[in-house]
Amino acid sequence: MEILNIDCLILIFNELSSDNNSLYSCLLVNKEWCHLVIPILWGNYPNYTICINSTEKFFNIILSCLSTSSKQLLIDNNIRLSQTILSKSSFNYVSLCKFLKIEIINNIINMIFRKEILTNVDYSKERDLLEQEIYKLFVSQCEGIKELEWQSSQPIVSFPGASTGFSQLYNLNIDLFYVNSNSLYEMSQICKDLNELTIKGCSQDIPGLISLIDAQRNLKSVSFDFQTKEGTCEELSKALARKGCTINNLSLYGSVDIIPLSFLMSLNNLKDLIIYYDFESYGRILKFQKYLANSKFPDLQILDISDDLLCFKELSMLIENTNGNITDIFVYTSNKSAENTGMFINSISNNCPKIEFLTTYLGPKDLIHIKSLLKNCRNLKSLRFNSLNEIKNIGDGLLNILAKFSPKSLSNISISGKWKYSVGSFENLFESYKKRRLLHFDIHDEIVYITTEHAKVVKKYYDEGVIAYSNLIITGTSEY
């Protein structure tokens, strides 16, 4: 039998990386295969813990990689380690890791202090010591961590090996509740090639965070969760504007009121825009509307906006300034008196030929725009129409338009339960899908006008294989 060379084996094992059970069986073949497979498996957490059928075994392997001095320090402080942990590992497994996740650290700690947790014994001092030694292990042994969840007050940037371990960071997730400005500044001196940056708990300008952002050479994706309305983030806004040429994914959540959104106009290469915001100041709302209307994102592909006062007019103007590459649009609002929904749908119809997923609202005069939308956007896969005001009489018109003009690609439909539908309009829609398949047909909001007769029609076409899934079949209706 001809023996494959190492390069071929590595290619094969990397192709198997999505099938961890098969890959795991390969390491049992012989010693050579084992040495090639182990690094790939350890780069696939948490899938590796699934294929060995034991997260506890996985955590014990990590602890077994602790240095002799660390193990002794833990024992001297009454931290119990099993004999498995105390024995020497066959591999330096931790050195193969490309991740440092808070989930791993916390789960290891919970495993060691299981008894203390159950009996409510104070173990905070021992917990901090164990956490410190685990972080020191990863930082000192991993030469190229790619992903870090920084949610600890441990001075990890000062641990031995930090300058090497964090120099190749690709994805950094920071919780500002734990991490101070000085630590962020230290990280900015080490880490300069971040691709993704996620910040939680942002409430004011932090000099160390500004330095970290400025230090990045190719920052593409940024996400901020603003937790308070008391501070201001003017310098943060300027720092993001300075990265306008590289950032192409932006996500803003929470109290966006505290950051001036003028930086939006500098993000000329933006592809994904997600804003779930909370404005208390009407003046800030007006400024936000202005920035939306005047921003130009020619390469925009994903638009996801949610607030209490959705700006359909300004969003329409934003869409008109794109180059037709949008594939996903999701808009949500709790303001049932929002206007210009028809203008918004019309702008999508005229400017988004590649759109596949759309969630929006319908007003009383919007059905004419739905017809154009379906005729112009032939790649649509999923549609969700939400209700505004107290409109009741557009249900049959909507279903009839969907039956006549839906593209073949449209396989997921979700419509409001606040609209009135005749049983016949249900049948008409499902008959139009007999030569294809409706993967999902859902009724959302309050199911006010759906009766058992509607549900029977859905069940009939489900039994015939026309509908693959409907929540009417699973949950029934309020009249059952």
Side-chain angles (χ1 to χ4, degrees), residues 426-443:
F426 265 45
E427 292 178 329
N428 186 38
L429 175 65
F430 302 144
E431 281 292 320
S432 72
Y433 271 85
K434 276 201 164 182
K435 293 184 179 180
R436 42 186 169 157
R437 203 175 189 211
L438 193 54
L439 297 179
H440 282 80
F441 177 76
D442 290 345
I443 303 292

Side-chain angles (χ1 to χ4, degrees), residues 289-302:
Q289 292 174 338
K290 173 186 173 182
Y291 296 138
L292 277 183
N294 293 307
S295 295
K296 294 184 179 181
F297 308 133
D299 299 322
L300 193 65
Q301 296 177 8
I302 296 176

Side-chain angles (χ1 to χ4, degrees), residues 41-55:
L41 281 172
W42 274 77
N44 280 349
Y45 176 85
N47 294 323
Y48 180 42
T49 64
I50 295 172
C51 77
I52 65 175
N53 298 315
S54 174
T55 53

Side-chain angles (χ1 to χ4, degrees), residues 326-358:
I326 294 179
T327 59
D328 300 57
I329 295 178
F330 307 93
V331 293
Y332 305 89
T333 183
S334 59
N335 177 23
K336 299 306 179 183
S337 60
E339 299 178 347
N340 300 308
T341 52
M343 177 189 294
F344 182 62
I345 295 170
N346 192 53
S347 68
I348 296 170
S349 174
N350 293 332
N351 298 280
C352 305
K354 298 179 181 179
I355 190 166
E356 297 179 359
F357 302 91
L358 172 61

Side-chain angles (χ1 to χ4, degrees), residues 202-222:
C202 191
S203 60
Q204 61 185 349
D205 279 326
I206 300 175
L209 178 59
I210 306 304
S211 297
L212 180 64
I213 292 173
D214 281 336
Q216 305 314 308
R217 293 182 279 239
N218 194 30
L219 187 60
K220 293 185 179 297
S221 177
V222 291

Side-chain angles (χ1 to χ4, degrees), residues 53-219:
N53 298 315
S54 174
T55 53
E56 188 164 316
K57 180 179 179 182
F58 177 73
F59 298 146
N60 280 329
I61 292 172
I62 291 175
L63 289 173
S64 69
C65 294
L66 287 167
S67 67
T68 302
S69 59
S70 287
K71 291 176 183 177
Q72 189 60 52
L73 177 64
L74 296 176
I75 293 171
D76 290 344
N77 283 272
N78 299 317
I79 298 175
R80 300 178 305 277
L81 300 176
S82 71
Q83 289 302 120
T84 304
I85 294 172
L86 294 173
S87 61
K88 189 175 180 179
S89 299
S90 303
F91 292 86
N92 185 0
Y93 295 98
V94 171
S95 69
L96 305 172
C97 295
K98 301 299 180 183
F99 51 83
L100 182 45
K101 295 178 178 291
I102 189 64
E103 173 191 22
I104 297 174
I105 310 296
N106 287 340
N107 286 338
I108 291 175
I109 292 170
N110 291 338
M111 178 187 73
I112 294 296
F113 296 109
R114 186 183 296 124
K115 182 178 179 180
E116 286 79 1
I117 293 170
L118 291 174
T119 56
N120 293 319
V121 173
D122 182 18
Y123 64 100
S124 55
K125 179 181 177 181
E126 292 82 0
R127 184 197 187 285
D128 289 344
L129 182 59
L130 177 59
E131 182 185 51
Q132 170 189 287
E133 295 307 302
I134 296 173
Y135 272 113
K136 281 185 175 180
L137 169 66
F138 274 90
V139 174
S140 64
Q141 296 300 315
C142 298
E143 295 184 357
I145 298 173
K146 298 294 185 183
E147 184 175 345
L148 170 63
E149 291 181 356
W150 198 356
Q151 299 178 40
S152 171
S153 55
Q154 295 286 345
I156 61 174
V157 189
S158 301
F159 288 163
S163 59
T164 301
F166 296 138
S167 63
Q168 299 178 44
L169 270 179
Y170 178 90
N171 186 330
L172 179 57
N173 187 317
I174 302 170
D175 190 334
L176 295 177
F177 179 80
Y178 300 98
V179 184
N180 60 38
S181 182
N182 289 336
S183 295
L184 291 170
Y185 179 78
E186 288 183 56
M187 183 64 83
S188 73
Q189 305 304 300
I190 299 171
C191 166
K192 300 181 184 298
D193 290 306
L194 281 178
N195 189 278
E196 301 176 23
L197 176 63
T198 299
I199 305 295
K200 298 177 182 177
C202 191
S203 60
Q204 61 185 349
D205 279 326
I206 300 175
L209 178 59
I210 306 304
S211 297
L212 180 64
I213 292 173
D214 281 336
Q216 305 314 308
R217 293 182 279 239
N218 194 30
L219 187 60

